[in-house]
Amino acid sequence: MREPRARRSELATPASSEKMCAKAPSSGADLVFLDLEDACAPLVKESARAIAVDALTGQDWGRVVRAVRVNGLDTPWCHGDVVEVVTGARDALDVIIVPKARTARDVWWFDVLLTQLETKLGMTKRIGLEVLIEEAEGLTNAAEIARASDRLEAIIFGAGDLSASMHARVDGNFDPVGPYPGDFWHFARVQILAAARGAGIDAVDAPFPAYQEPDGFRASATQASLLGYDGKWAIHPSQVPIANDVFSPTADEVAAAQRSIAEYRAAEAGGVGAIGTDGRLVDAAHMRLAENVLRKAELTD
């Protein structure tokens, strides 16, 4: 059974930087991933594995979910990343993040390797998976990818590489370079979100590279939150508190959800299936929405 986790903020940290790895546990992020992929130059990818293991095992992470993003299956580093990090970190590692998932078979490969390692090492804790949807092929296969393994806890919208894969004309913040009618990424976001919800797992929104534009980050996070995303990647610690705020239900939202459920259950006990509250009809669909609010609030209590 998948362990429910808060994923309001997922902070990227270069695995090759001992200094940044040391600061990561105190960032306030729900999840921190030590990045062996894009954040590491080819010359330091292998040496960064030991830095990541030392950071995972040698620091107090508290409630922070500890993750590592490995290199993709199409690279010479992928197998070594998984074997060395899992062997070294063992129970100090919660999640492996898989980049550029194209098919369900990609996820299966990681599942099988992790099962072999956990058995060989005598581990009792099961390592979870998150996968990035950042290739055109992966986007078309998102629903199958999301159901590919019971280790899978979340799928992530990767706007950067998806831009390249789709040959999109975007700037460094993955926004269109010219006028565009509507939300440029709406279709991809909804397709990934629907795949996640269909599989009963979390959905995490893309990073916002312009880390010195907090208002832009907040706007992007709010848009994803309104759709139903659980959180967003942060590429800088300053983005973490914004993400935590945006993806947390407010006190008013929690109180309203609790009140709606209490009133509806009382009416239901009397044989009434829908009630009027504040001039609006409240029925079973509203209860599902209210329960979503309370579930999110419980994860961060």
Side-chain angles (χ1 to χ4, degrees):
M1 184 175 179
R2 299 181 182 97
E3 178 183 352
R5 309 183 196 267
R7 284 186 165 86
R8 300 167 301 174
S9 52
E10 296 201 349
L11 177 63
T13 303
S16 57
S17 172
E18 294 181 4
K19 181 179 179 181
M20 291 185 182
C21 288
K23 292 180 178 180
S26 59
S27 65
D30 288 333
L31 178 148
V32 169
F33 68 92
L34 308 182
D35 191 9
L36 292 169
E37 197 209 15
D38 288 350
C40 289
L43 287 176
V44 299
K45 284 184 182 291
E46 293 185 6
S47 60
R49 296 168 185 162
I51 296 174
V53 169
D54 287 344
L56 292 168
T57 59
Q59 300 178 164
D60 181 5
W61 290 84
R63 296 175 60 185
V64 178
V65 179
R66 297 158 295 180
V68 170
R69 177 166 67 164
V70 297
N71 287 279
L73 273 171
D74 58 348
T75 74
W77 303 288
C78 180
H79 182 269
D81 287 347
V82 178
V83 172
E84 289 190 33
V85 171
V86 172
T87 301
R90 303 198 184 199
D91 289 348
L93 177 65
D94 299 312
V95 171
I96 281 180
I97 298 178
V98 177
K100 300 178 179 64
R102 292 175 171 84
T103 67
R105 188 173 179 82
D106 293 349
V107 182
W108 173 85
W109 185 92
F110 283 92
D111 190 341
V112 170
L113 180 56
L114 286 172
T115 298
Q116 292 173 344
L117 284 169
E118 289 163 350
T119 301
K120 177 182 177 181
L121 299 171
M123 294 172 59
T124 57
K125 175 180 174 179
R126 210 161 179 248
I127 296 171
L129 289 172
E130 294 185 7
V131 301
L132 278 148
I133 304 297
E134 51 185 343
E135 296 289 331
E137 185 179 4
L139 186 62
T140 62
N141 293 324
E144 294 177 8
I145 289 170
R147 291 182 170 90
S149 167
D150 62 2
R151 289 182 188 270
L152 200 55
E153 299 181 8
I155 55 177
I156 306 155
F157 169 35
D161 278 291
L162 186 58
S163 298
S165 181
M166 300 285 281
H167 298 189
R169 296 179 63 195
V170 297
D171 60 21
N173 211 47
F174 315 136
D175 293 322
V177 296
Y180 186 85
D183 175 10
F184 190 76
W185 290 114
H186 182 74
F187 172 78
R189 270 179 165 153
V190 171
Q191 187 156 335
I192 290 167
L193 176 62
R197 294 294 176 249
I201 62 177
D202 291 339
V204 180
D205 192 42
F208 188 84
Y211 63 87
Q212 293 184 328
E213 298 179 13
D215 290 343
F217 179 83
R218 181 176 289 275
S220 179
T222 299
Q223 192 169 3
S225 176
L226 291 173
L227 281 173
Y229 273 75
D230 298 287
K232 188 172 181 66
W233 266 19
I235 63 162
H236 191 275
S238 65
Q239 295 177 330
V240 168
I242 301 173
N244 287 348
D245 179 51
V246 169
F247 290 97
S248 295
T250 66
D252 288 345
E253 287 173 329
V254 172
Q258 292 171 333
R259 183 172 62 253
S260 292
I261 290 174
E263 292 174 354
Y264 183 82
R265 296 306 178 206
E268 189 178 49
V272 178
I275 61 174
T277 301
D278 298 327
R280 296 181 181 180
L281 178 72
V282 176
D283 60 12
H286 292 87
M287 293 304 96
R288 293 177 66 187
L289 290 169
E291 288 164 359
N292 288 343
V293 171
L294 299 184
R295 194 177 301 115
K296 287 187 176 183
E298 288 173 1
L299 286 175
T300 55
D301 283 347

